[in-house]
Amino acid sequence: MSFDPSPNPHHLYRDPDNGVILGVCAGFADYFGWERRTLRIVTAITAIFFLPQVLVFYVLAAIFMKRKPSPVYGTGEEAQFWRSVSMRPSDTFSNLRYRFRSLEERLAGLEKHVTSKEYKLHRDFKDLEGR
């Protein structure tokens, strides 16, 4: 049983369903939003020069990374959202602050319009037309 206080399902998992060997490269690619093929090529090139280190890292990652559960995200849009929250929380907070400020300004404009004499006059004219 896991007691994760965050509703964010974006974690680093091993993804053997989309992986070639044990799913380590697929898991890292999914976590960072990279192309799996590109990461595999980079890993293979790195292994040419540093084979023992790459093998040790790969095996340890395969041992310690949890297997990816089936339905982590509902949609690709949800995955992109949670990835951005995990990678750039300050940007996410800034974006939310901007959105709420924009909504507050729109609401203030709406309140100003509804409470204006012009709005009351238009409403009175519509009431007269309806009779």
Side-chain angles (χ1 to χ4, degrees):
M1 179 180 254
S2 174
F3 294 102
D4 189 8
S6 171
N8 185 349
H10 184 69
H11 298 286
L12 182 60
Y13 294 113
R14 199 170 46 83
D15 190 3
D17 297 332
N18 293 315
V20 174
I21 300 175
L22 295 171
V24 174
C25 287
F28 274 102
D30 181 50
Y31 183 76
F32 290 107
W34 299 332
E35 290 290 324
R36 287 188 295 253
R37 185 185 321 167
T38 305
L39 185 58
R40 288 181 186 130
I41 291 169
V42 169
T43 303
I45 291 171
T46 306
I48 291 171
F49 299 106
F50 306 104
L51 182 63
Q53 292 88 349
V54 171
L55 283 178
V56 168
F57 175 79
Y58 194 90
V59 169
L60 288 175
I63 292 170
F64 290 109
M65 288 170 64
K66 293 180 184 176
R67 183 183 178 99
K68 182 178 180 180
S70 300
V72 175
Y73 307 108
T75 63
E77 191 174 287
E78 182 182 345
Q80 184 179 11
F81 169 77
W82 284 116
R83 189 175 295 119
S84 71
V85 169
S86 292
M87 300 305 196
R88 297 178 309 276
S90 62
D91 291 348
T92 303
F93 181 70
S94 175
N95 188 18
L96 285 173
R97 189 172 3 154
Y98 171 76
R99 283 183 180 181
F100 279 116
R101 188 177 302 137
S102 173
L103 286 173
E104 188 174 354
E105 288 172 1
R106 289 174 55 195
L107 183 60
L110 182 64
E111 287 175 346
K112 183 179 177 183
H113 174 70
V114 169
T115 57
S116 70
K117 292 180 182 180
E118 182 180 319
Y119 178 78
K120 185 178 181 317
L121 185 62
H122 282 298
R123 193 177 63 197
D124 290 343
F125 280 137
K126 284 189 179 188
D127 287 345
L128 286 175
E129 288 176 357
R131 292 183 188 175

